[in-house]
Amino acid sequence: MNVSLGKRILLASRPVGEPKESDLRIEDMPVPVPGPGEMLLRTLWLSLDPYMRGRMSDAPSYATPVAIGQVMEGRTVSEVVASHLQGYAPGDIVLSPSGWQTHALSQGRLTRKIDPSIAPVSTALGVLGMPGMTAYAGLLDIGQPKAGETVVVSAASGAVGSAVGQIAKIRGARAVGIAGGPAKCRYVVDELGFDACIDHRAPDMAARLKAACPDGIDVYFENVGGAVFEAVFPLLNNFARVPVCGQIATYNASEMPAGRLLTSQVTRAILTKRLTLRGFIVTDFAARHGDFLRDVSAWVREGRVRYREDVVDGLEKAPRALIGLLRGENFGKMLVRVAAPER
Ligand SMILES: NC(=O)c1ccc[n+]([C@@H]2O[C@H](COP(=O)([O-])OP(=O)(O)OC[C@H]3O[C@@H](n4cnc5c(N)ncnc54)[C@H](OP(=O)(O)O)[C@@H]3O)[C@@H](O)[C@H]2O)c1
C-alpha cells in the first residue's frame, strides 16, 4: 500500500538563550487516516508567535511546555481533506491548533470554520485572530482609552501593536508607536496612521518619546519590557492604565537583565499616580470574542484597520523564522505558507 508522507517539526532540545535551528528537528511522517469522529486537516498557514519561545522552555509559566520529541505547538489555517466529523466537509477552511506539521487529525477540539468571504483566510491567524483579539481586549477592556488621551504601544509594527494603535485612533486617542528601525517607524506613521513613532534603537529614545508625548501617557500597551518600559514609565500620567501584554525583550534571556528602575520607584509611582498595571492572557477575554470579530472585521473591511503579513514559504523555514521573530526581523504578522489550497 502507498502511504503518503507529510512533514512535522519536533522540539529536539530546550534552548538556552536564543533558540538554535538544531533545537527543532524536521522529520517525515505518514499522513494519518481519519477514524470515526475525526477529520484529516492539511495545513495551509502556520502562525509563528512570540509565546512559542515560552513553550520551548520548562520554566514555570501559565501554559504547559511542549515536551521534548513532541510536535511544536501552533495555530494553523487548514483545509479539511477528509471528514467523518459532523459539520465539517472536504474543502472547508478551519482554524485549528494543528501545530508545526503539514497534516493533522482533528476531532474538532478548539477548531472553528473560517468564512473566506470576510477576508483572506490567513487573517484568522493575525488581525482577525489571536493577535487582533489581544489588541482589542487588552486596549479596550484594560486600557480604556478616551478621546484626546495619549496611547503608547511598543512592538508597534507587529501583529498586536499595529492593531492597538489603529483601534486607539478609532477611539479618538493619539497613538504613539515604538518600533525597531526607521522603516518600521515610517510604516507605522505613514501606512497605519499613528501620530508618531519612536525607534527604540535610537540612543536618545527616552528624550524622543518624551517629545512625542507632550501631555504625558495615559495608556501604555506593554509588549516589550526592558529599556522600553523604563523610558515609558516616568511619562505615565495620573490614573494611567498599563495593559501588560508581553515582555519580548526578555524571552531569550537566561537571566533577567538589571534595570535602572528600582522596585521602590515603581511601587511609589503606582501609589502616587494611582496607576493601574494589569497583566492579561488573551483567553481571559474569551467572552469578548464575538464583539471583537464583529468590530474588527468591519474595521478591516472599511480600511480603518490595516495589517501587514510577513510570509515565508515552506514548513522547513519555520525554525529560522521564529528565531528572526524574536530578534525583531519580522515586519508584520509572521506566517509560514505551508501549502496552497487544493480546492
Ligand atoms: N498576553 C497575551 O495573551 C498575548 C497574546 C499575543 C501576543 N502577546 C505578546 O505581544 C507581543 C507582540 O506579539 P506579536 O505577535 O504582535 O509579535 P510581533 O510584534 O509581530 O513581533 C515581535 C516584535 O517584537 C519586537 N521586539 C523583539 N525583541 C525586542 C526587544 N528586545 N526590544 C523591543 N522590541 C523587540 C520586534 O519589533 P521591533 O523591530 O519593532 O523591535 C518584533 O518584530 C509579544 O510580547 C507577545 O508575547 C501576548
PDB file of all heavy atoms in Angstrom, residues 87-110:
ATOM      1  N   GLY A  87     -20.568  18.291  10.555  1.00  0.00           N
ATOM      2  CA  GLY A  87     -20.393  19.740  10.477  1.00  0.00           C
ATOM      3  C   GLY A  87     -19.172  20.171   9.685  1.00  0.00           C
ATOM      4  O   GLY A  87     -18.993  21.359   9.440  1.00  0.00           O
ATOM      5  N   TYR A  88     -18.300  19.222   9.333  1.00  0.00           N
ATOM      6  CA  TYR A  88     -17.108  19.568   8.560  1.00  0.00           C
ATOM      7  C   TYR A  88     -17.066  18.731   7.293  1.00  0.00           C
ATOM      8  O   TYR A  88     -17.260  17.504   7.352  1.00  0.00           O
ATOM      9  CB  TYR A  88     -15.841  19.304   9.379  1.00  0.00           C
ATOM     10  CG  TYR A  88     -15.682  20.246  10.557  1.00  0.00           C
ATOM     11  CD1 TYR A  88     -16.173  19.907  11.816  1.00  0.00           C
ATOM     12  CD2 TYR A  88     -15.041  21.482  10.407  1.00  0.00           C
ATOM     13  CE1 TYR A  88     -16.028  20.773  12.899  1.00  0.00           C
ATOM     14  CE2 TYR A  88     -14.891  22.344  11.487  1.00  0.00           C
ATOM     15  CZ  TYR A  88     -15.387  21.986  12.728  1.00  0.00           C
ATOM     16  OH  TYR A  88     -15.244  22.832  13.794  1.00  0.00           O
ATOM     17  N   ALA A  89     -16.785  19.379   6.159  1.00  0.00           N
ATOM     18  CA  ALA A  89     -16.759  18.666   4.877  1.00  0.00           C
ATOM     19  C   ALA A  89     -15.454  18.995   4.149  1.00  0.00           C
ATOM     20  O   ALA A  89     -14.867  20.063   4.377  1.00  0.00           O
ATOM     21  CB  ALA A  89     -17.949  19.117   4.025  1.00  0.00           C
ATOM     22  N   PRO A  90     -15.014  18.097   3.273  1.00  0.00           N
ATOM     23  CA  PRO A  90     -13.799  18.385   2.496  1.00  0.00           C
ATOM     24  C   PRO A  90     -13.911  19.744   1.809  1.00  0.00           C
ATOM     25  O   PRO A  90     -14.964  20.103   1.279  1.00  0.00           O
ATOM     26  CB  PRO A  90     -13.756  17.243   1.477  1.00  0.00           C
ATOM     27  CG  PRO A  90     -14.467  16.121   2.162  1.00  0.00           C
ATOM     28  CD  PRO A  90     -15.563  16.762   2.971  1.00  0.00           C
ATOM     29  N   GLY A  91     -12.811  20.494   1.866  1.00  0.00           N
ATOM     30  CA  GLY A  91     -12.794  21.832   1.260  1.00  0.00           C
ATOM     31  C   GLY A  91     -13.044  22.939   2.272  1.00  0.00           C
ATOM     32  O   GLY A  91     -12.696  24.093   2.021  1.00  0.00           O
ATOM     33  N   ASP A  92     -13.650  22.613   3.444  1.00  0.00           N
ATOM     34  CA  ASP A  92     -13.830  23.647   4.476  1.00  0.00           C
ATOM     35  C   ASP A  92     -12.469  24.148   4.919  1.00  0.00           C
ATOM     36  O   ASP A  92     -11.495  23.382   5.004  1.00  0.00           O
ATOM     37  CB  ASP A  92     -14.540  23.077   5.720  1.00  0.00           C
ATOM     38  CG  ASP A  92     -16.033  22.876   5.494  1.00  0.00           C
ATOM     39  OD1 ASP A  92     -16.556  23.381   4.470  1.00  0.00           O
ATOM     40  OD2 ASP A  92     -16.672  22.211   6.340  1.00  0.00           O
ATOM     41  N   ILE A  93     -12.410  25.433   5.244  1.00  0.00           N
ATOM     42  CA  ILE A  93     -11.177  26.034   5.788  1.00  0.00           C
ATOM     43  C   ILE A  93     -11.425  26.278   7.276  1.00  0.00           C
ATOM     44  O   ILE A  93     -12.456  26.859   7.655  1.00  0.00           O
ATOM     45  CB  ILE A  93     -10.845  27.366   5.079  1.00  0.00           C
ATOM     46  CG1 ILE A  93     -10.777  27.176   3.566  1.00  0.00           C
ATOM     47  CG2 ILE A  93      -9.549  27.953   5.626  1.00  0.00           C
ATOM     48  CD1 ILE A  93      -9.627  26.342   3.070  1.00  0.00           C
ATOM     49  N   VAL A  94     -10.481  25.804   8.102  1.00  0.00           N
ATOM     50  CA  VAL A  94     -10.689  25.891   9.556  1.00  0.00           C
ATOM     51  C   VAL A  94      -9.460  26.481  10.246  1.00  0.00           C
ATOM     52  O   VAL A  94      -8.339  26.366   9.758  1.00  0.00           O
ATOM     53  CB  VAL A  94     -10.977  24.492  10.174  1.00  0.00           C
ATOM     54  CG1 VAL A  94     -12.250  23.903   9.599  1.00  0.00           C
ATOM     55  CG2 VAL A  94      -9.806  23.539   9.979  1.00  0.00           C
ATOM     56  N   LEU A  95      -9.731  27.095  11.391  1.00  0.00           N
ATOM     57  CA  LEU A  95      -8.666  27.487  12.308  1.00  0.00           C
ATOM     58  C   LEU A  95      -8.471  26.311  13.245  1.00  0.00           C
ATOM     59  O   LEU A  95      -9.454  25.769  13.774  1.00  0.00           O
ATOM     60  CB  LEU A  95      -9.125  28.719  13.092  1.00  0.00           C
ATOM     61  CG  LEU A  95      -8.153  29.260  14.129  1.00  0.00           C
ATOM     62  CD1 LEU A  95      -6.945  29.871  13.447  1.00  0.00           C
ATOM     63  CD2 LEU A  95      -8.856  30.317  14.989  1.00  0.00           C
ATOM     64  N   SER A  96      -7.228  25.887  13.450  1.00  0.00           N
ATOM     65  CA  SER A  96      -7.006  24.651  14.205  1.00  0.00           C
ATOM     66  C   SER A  96      -5.685  24.746  14.978  1.00  0.00           C
ATOM     67  O   SER A  96      -4.747  25.409  14.531  1.00  0.00           O
ATOM     68  CB  SER A  96      -6.956  23.492  13.198  1.00  0.00           C
ATOM     69  OG  SER A  96      -6.216  22.412  13.701  1.00  0.00           O
ATOM     70  N   PRO A  97      -5.587  24.051  16.120  1.00  0.00           N
ATOM     71  CA  PRO A  97      -4.295  24.007  16.829  1.00  0.00           C
ATOM     72  C   PRO A  97      -3.440  22.854  16.318  1.00  0.00           C
ATOM     73  O   PRO A  97      -2.965  22.024  17.097  1.00  0.00           O
ATOM     74  CB  PRO A  97      -4.732  23.796  18.286  1.00  0.00           C
ATOM     75  CG  PRO A  97      -6.027  23.040  18.189  1.00  0.00           C
ATOM     76  CD  PRO A  97      -6.667  23.379  16.876  1.00  0.00           C
ATOM     77  N   SER A  98      -3.242  22.758  15.008  1.00  0.00           N
ATOM     78  CA  SER A  98      -2.578  21.587  14.404  1.00  0.00           C
ATOM     79  C   SER A  98      -1.108  21.490  14.736  1.00  0.00           C
ATOM     80  O   SER A  98      -0.522  20.412  14.637  1.00  0.00           O
ATOM     81  CB  SER A  98      -2.715  21.622  12.881  1.00  0.00           C
ATOM     82  OG  SER A  98      -4.029  21.348  12.485  1.00  0.00           O
ATOM     83  N   GLY A  99      -0.459  22.616  15.051  1.00  0.00           N
ATOM     84  CA  GLY A  99       0.980  22.582  15.329  1.00  0.00           C
ATOM     85  C   GLY A  99       1.805  22.641  14.060  1.00  0.00           C
ATOM     86  O   GLY A  99       1.282  22.827  12.961  1.00  0.00           O
ATOM     87  N   TRP A 100       3.126  22.440  14.248  1.00  0.00           N
ATOM     88  CA  TRP A 100       4.082  22.607  13.141  1.00  0.00           C
ATOM     89  C   TRP A 100       4.134  21.318  12.332  1.00  0.00           C
ATOM     90  O   TRP A 100       5.098  20.559  12.401  1.00  0.00           O
ATOM     91  CB  TRP A 100       5.465  22.930  13.689  1.00  0.00           C
ATOM     92  CG  TRP A 100       5.614  24.251  14.380  1.00  0.00           C
ATOM     93  CD1 TRP A 100       4.669  24.936  15.078  1.00  0.00           C
ATOM     94  CD2 TRP A 100       6.806  25.044  14.469  1.00  0.00           C
ATOM     95  NE1 TRP A 100       5.192  26.094  15.587  1.00  0.00           N
ATOM     96  CE2 TRP A 100       6.508  26.184  15.232  1.00  0.00           C
ATOM     97  CE3 TRP A 100       8.107  24.894  13.991  1.00  0.00           C
ATOM     98  CZ2 TRP A 100       7.451  27.173  15.521  1.00  0.00           C
ATOM     99  CZ3 TRP A 100       9.048  25.880  14.274  1.00  0.00           C
ATOM    100  CH2 TRP A 100       8.718  27.005  15.021  1.00  0.00           C
ATOM    101  N   GLN A 101       3.100  21.059  11.536  1.00  0.00           N
ATOM    102  CA  GLN A 101       3.105  19.867  10.686  1.00  0.00           C
ATOM    103  C   GLN A 101       2.208  20.093   9.480  1.00  0.00           C
ATOM    104  O   GLN A 101       1.335  20.957   9.494  1.00  0.00           O
ATOM    105  CB  GLN A 101       2.686  18.625  11.484  1.00  0.00           C
ATOM    106  CG  GLN A 101       1.416  18.753  12.295  1.00  0.00           C
ATOM    107  CD  GLN A 101       1.191  17.553  13.205  1.00  0.00           C
ATOM    108  OE1 GLN A 101       1.867  16.538  13.086  1.00  0.00           O
ATOM    109  NE2 GLN A 101       0.220  17.650  14.109  1.00  0.00           N
ATOM    110  N   THR A 102       2.465  19.304   8.441  1.00  0.00           N
ATOM    111  CA  THR A 102       1.719  19.508   7.191  1.00  0.00           C
ATOM    112  C   THR A 102       0.311  18.931   7.270  1.00  0.00           C
ATOM    113  O   THR A 102      -0.563  19.353   6.520  1.00  0.00           O
ATOM    114  CB  THR A 102       2.451  18.852   6.005  1.00  0.00           C
ATOM    115  OG1 THR A 102       2.641  17.455   6.322  1.00  0.00           O
ATOM    116  CG2 THR A 102       3.789  19.518   5.728  1.00  0.00           C
ATOM    117  N   HIS A 103       0.093  17.950   8.140  1.00  0.00           N
ATOM    118  CA  HIS A 103      -1.223  17.312   8.248  1.00  0.00           C
ATOM    119  C   HIS A 103      -1.501  17.016   9.718  1.00  0.00           C
ATOM    120  O   HIS A 103      -0.566  16.796  10.495  1.00  0.00           O
ATOM    121  CB  HIS A 103      -1.268  15.976   7.482  1.00  0.00           C
ATOM    122  CG  HIS A 103      -1.035  16.125   6.016  1.00  0.00           C
ATOM    123  ND1 HIS A 103       0.227  16.273   5.493  1.00  0.00           N
ATOM    124  CD2 HIS A 103      -1.899  16.155   4.975  1.00  0.00           C
ATOM    125  CE1 HIS A 103       0.138  16.401   4.174  1.00  0.00           C
ATOM    126  NE2 HIS A 103      -1.142  16.331   3.831  1.00  0.00           N
ATOM    127  N   ALA A 104      -2.779  16.984  10.078  1.00  0.00           N
ATOM    128  CA  ALA A 104      -3.126  16.623  11.453  1.00  0.00           C
ATOM    129  C   ALA A 104      -4.525  16.025  11.476  1.00  0.00           C
ATOM    130  O   ALA A 104      -5.378  16.384  10.655  1.00  0.00           O
ATOM    131  CB  ALA A 104      -3.087  17.860  12.346  1.00  0.00           C
ATOM    132  N   LEU A 105      -4.742  15.122  12.414  1.00  0.00           N
ATOM    133  CA  LEU A 105      -6.094  14.633  12.666  1.00  0.00           C
ATOM    134  C   LEU A 105      -6.746  15.573  13.671  1.00  0.00           C
ATOM    135  O   LEU A 105      -6.076  16.100  14.561  1.00  0.00           O
ATOM    136  CB  LEU A 105      -6.068  13.227  13.254  1.00  0.00           C
ATOM    137  CG  LEU A 105      -5.659  12.099  12.317  1.00  0.00           C
ATOM    138  CD1 LEU A 105      -5.700  10.762  13.075  1.00  0.00           C
ATOM    139  CD2 LEU A 105      -6.569  12.033  11.085  1.00  0.00           C
ATOM    140  N   SER A 106      -8.067  15.758  13.539  1.00  0.00           N
ATOM    141  CA  SER A 106      -8.771  16.623  14.495  1.00  0.00           C
ATOM    142  C   SER A 106     -10.128  16.016  14.816  1.00  0.00           C
ATOM    143  O   SER A 106     -10.777  15.440  13.946  1.00  0.00           O
ATOM    144  CB  SER A 106      -8.957  18.010  13.879  1.00  0.00           C
ATOM    145  OG  SER A 106      -9.867  18.761  14.646  1.00  0.00           O
ATOM    146  N   GLN A 107     -10.506  16.150  16.093  1.00  0.00           N
ATOM    147  CA  GLN A 107     -11.868  15.774  16.484  1.00  0.00           C
ATOM    148  C   GLN A 107     -12.717  17.030  16.664  1.00  0.00           C
ATOM    149  O   GLN A 107     -13.769  16.991  17.279  1.00  0.00           O
ATOM    150  CB  GLN A 107     -11.829  14.966  17.782  1.00  0.00           C
ATOM    151  CG  GLN A 107     -11.062  13.673  17.604  1.00  0.00           C
ATOM    152  CD  GLN A 107     -10.834  12.922  18.895  1.00  0.00           C
ATOM    153  OE1 GLN A 107     -10.950  13.485  19.989  1.00  0.00           O
ATOM    154  NE2 GLN A 107     -10.497  11.653  18.775  1.00  0.00           N
ATOM    155  N   GLY A 108     -12.203  18.148  16.185  1.00  0.00           N
ATOM    156  CA  GLY A 108     -12.962  19.402  16.244  1.00  0.00           C
ATOM    157  C   GLY A 108     -12.665  20.238  17.470  1.00  0.00           C
ATOM    158  O   GLY A 108     -13.191  21.338  17.618  1.00  0.00           O
ATOM    159  N   ARG A 109     -11.765  19.746  18.354  1.00  0.00           N
ATOM    160  CA  ARG A 109     -11.453  20.490  19.580  1.00  0.00           C
ATOM    161  C   ARG A 109     -10.709  21.785  19.211  1.00  0.00           C
ATOM    162  O   ARG A 109      -9.759  21.761  18.429  1.00  0.00           O
ATOM    163  CB  ARG A 109     -10.588  19.619  20.498  1.00  0.00           C
ATOM    164  CG  ARG A 109     -10.502  20.086  21.932  1.00  0.00           C
ATOM    165  CD  ARG A 109      -9.546  19.201  22.714  1.00  0.00           C
ATOM    166  NE  ARG A 109      -8.172  19.376  22.257  1.00  0.00           N
ATOM    167  CZ  ARG A 109      -7.340  20.309  22.714  1.00  0.00           C
ATOM    168  NH1 ARG A 109      -7.725  21.134  23.659  1.00  0.00           N
ATOM    169  NH2 ARG A 109      -6.115  20.413  22.246  1.00  0.00           N
ATOM    170  N   LEU A 110     -11.162  22.902  19.777  1.00  0.00           N
ATOM    171  CA  LEU A 110     -10.539  24.226  19.556  1.00  0.00           C
ATOM    172  C   LEU A 110     -10.453  24.575  18.058  1.00  0.00           C
ATOM    173  O   LEU A 110      -9.552  25.284  17.621  1.00  0.00           O
ATOM    174  CB  LEU A 110      -9.136  24.291  20.175  1.00  0.00           C
ATOM    175  CG  LEU A 110      -9.048  24.084  21.684  1.00  0.00           C
ATOM    176  CD1 LEU A 110      -7.592  24.065  22.147  1.00  0.00           C
ATOM    177  CD2 LEU A 110      -9.816  25.168  22.433  1.00  0.00           C
TER     178      LEU A 110
END
